Amino acid sequence: MKHKKTNPRRSENSASPQEVRLNKYIANSGVCSRREADKLIATGEIKVNKEVITEMGYKVKPTDKVYHKGQLLQSEKPVYVLLNKPKGFLTTTDDPQERRTVMELVKNACDERIYPVGRLDRATTGLLLFTNDGAVAEVLAHPSNNVKKIYRAEINKPITKEHFQQIVDGLELEDGPVKVDELAILDDRKALGMEIHLGKNRIVRRIFEHLGYEVIKLDRVVYAGLDKSNLPRGKWRHLSDKEINRLKSLKIKKKD
């Protein structure tokens, strides 16, 4: 198999503004995030004009044809869709067991191929973002970028003052320390609001379970500055230009 060698024209900083990095092109086609696109390139799964490319800095011209698994990719316009996820849907693009996935809920949102950013477990409701903008998806999903999320949790019994303070001060879970940004009691000490930026799996549920509570309901009400205003459960909407610009500003900050 012939691999493409370094091409100065494609990797120079002075390349034409019409040229884009190969990983960005792949991400914009809706296949995956930029980080995942780098892996596809490194393993020789990407061809440009029928030639395997493994160079990370490779630049794609508007006239180039990019293939993944033999399929021609089209660099699509960026799309951003916000869903108020109901209970009972998996956050995945496909499920081998044919269970319901969030993709069913946004199938009529656009013609472009979009995918969910991050995860909400099957029983958790609330805000979930879909996009084909791999750069934005990577920034939002990566734990090191401290993207703020606010949850409303209902637990099976009133939280004690001692446990409330333990959460505020920080806990040590099996995979390391956990610190929330804010914690507030909303109703009879069984409903709490939690602001947190950690991206660990099932982190809110695990915090309460660690202290002996069962989470009855969990709803993500704010995500990366986006909220559920005028968005009923199970419905989706496209982001406004203002919201899109706010997300893209996060991308700019990451590069600085």
Side-chain angles (χ1 to χ4, degrees), residues 60-75:
V60 178
K61 297 187 300 182
T63 54
D64 286 335
K65 293 183 178 181
V66 181
Y67 298 85
H68 174 235
K69 293 183 177 179
Q71 181 179 357
L72 178 64
L73 304 184
Q74 301 291 339
S75 186

Side-chain angles (χ1 to χ4, degrees), residues 26-37:
I26 296 168
N28 286 347
S29 74
V31 171
C32 59
S33 70
R34 278 202 200 187
R35 184 181 299 273
E36 292 166 333

Side-chain angles (χ1 to χ4, degrees), residues 1-6 41-44 51-55:
M1 180 180 294
K2 183 180 179 182
H3 284 220
K4 185 75 175 181
K5 302 300 182 181
T6 300
I41 296 169
T43 55
E51 189 170 9
V52 174
I53 301 296
T54 57
E55 179 192 339

Side-chain angles (χ1 to χ4, degrees), residues 1-253:
M1 180 180 294
K2 183 180 179 182
H3 284 220
K4 185 75 175 181
K5 302 300 182 181
T6 300
N7 184 333
R9 181 189 65 78
R10 298 295 179 90
S11 56
E12 289 178 346
N13 292 332
S14 59
S16 166
Q18 293 182 324
E19 297 178 4
V20 297
R21 288 177 66 96
L22 180 56
N23 63 351
K24 181 177 181 180
Y25 187 99
I26 296 168
N28 286 347
S29 74
V31 171
C32 59
S33 70
R34 278 202 200 187
R35 184 181 299 273
E36 292 166 333
D38 284 338
K39 295 178 182 178
L40 295 180
I41 296 169
T43 55
E45 296 183 49
I46 300 298
K47 291 184 178 181
V48 178
N49 302 327
K50 301 294 186 179
E51 189 170 9
V52 174
I53 301 296
T54 57
E55 179 192 339
M56 289 301 155
Y58 191 84
K59 298 279 187 176
V60 178
K61 297 187 300 182
T63 54
D64 286 335
K65 293 183 178 181
V66 181
Y67 298 85
H68 174 235
K69 293 183 177 179
Q71 181 179 357
L72 178 64
L73 304 184
Q74 301 291 339
S75 186
E76 301 171 323
K77 69 175 183 179
V79 177
Y80 310 85
V81 174
L82 188 65
L83 170 72
N84 187 350
K85 176 188 173 296
K87 188 176 180 180
F89 287 81
L90 295 175
T91 304
T92 181
T93 55
D94 183 54
D95 180 57
Q97 300 179 40
E98 298 186 350
R99 292 170 294 182
R100 294 185 298 177
T101 76
V102 292
M103 301 310 297
E104 298 176 31
L105 301 170
V106 296
K107 62 183 179 181
N108 297 321
C110 58
D111 293 329
E112 292 79 10
R113 292 170 293 180
I114 55 177
Y115 52 92
V117 179
R119 298 183 64 85
L120 286 179
D121 64 43
R122 192 175 184 181
T124 300
T125 60
L127 293 179
L128 186 62
L129 181 68
F130 295 75
T131 186
N132 59 355
D133 187 332
V136 167
E138 182 178 347
V139 171
L140 293 176
H142 201 283
S144 68
N145 293 317
N146 297 335
V147 174
K148 294 282 182 76
K149 314 169 193 68
I150 299 178
Y151 293 85
R152 186 183 193 278
E154 294 184 22
I155 54 180
N156 63 327
K157 56 186 176 182
I159 192 170
T160 66
K161 292 182 179 179
E162 179 184 0
H163 287 159
F164 181 92
Q165 193 59 46
Q166 284 184 37
I167 296 175
V168 171
D169 293 340
L171 297 172
E172 185 75 26
L173 301 184
E174 63 274 9
D175 56 348
V178 171
K179 189 80 163 73
V180 305
D181 300 306
E182 289 188 32
L183 184 67
I185 295 173
L186 305 177
D187 184 29
D188 68 9
R189 307 191 73 86
K190 287 186 178 181
L192 299 99
M194 180 183 291
E195 181 176 324
I196 192 167
H197 66 263
L198 294 174
K200 295 182 178 181
N201 187 39
R202 298 183 70 254
I203 187 62
V204 177
R205 292 184 184 276
R206 290 197 290 125
I207 287 173
F208 288 109
E209 289 169 0
H210 178 77
L211 297 172
Y213 299 90
E214 179 186 354
V215 176
I216 306 301
K217 293 182 180 179
L218 185 60
D219 187 43
R220 186 155 71 187
V221 297
V222 174
Y223 177 68
L226 305 170
D227 60 48
K228 298 196 298 179
S229 300
N230 302 316
L231 188 60
R233 186 85 72 219
K235 301 299 183 180
W236 56 265
R237 66 173 177 82
H238 290 278
L239 296 192
S240 67
D241 290 341
K242 182 178 180 180
E243 290 171 326
I244 294 171
N245 289 335
R246 188 186 305 139
L247 293 183
K248 288 186 175 181
S249 73
L250 296 175
K251 177 171 61 175
I252 294 171
K253 288 177 183 177

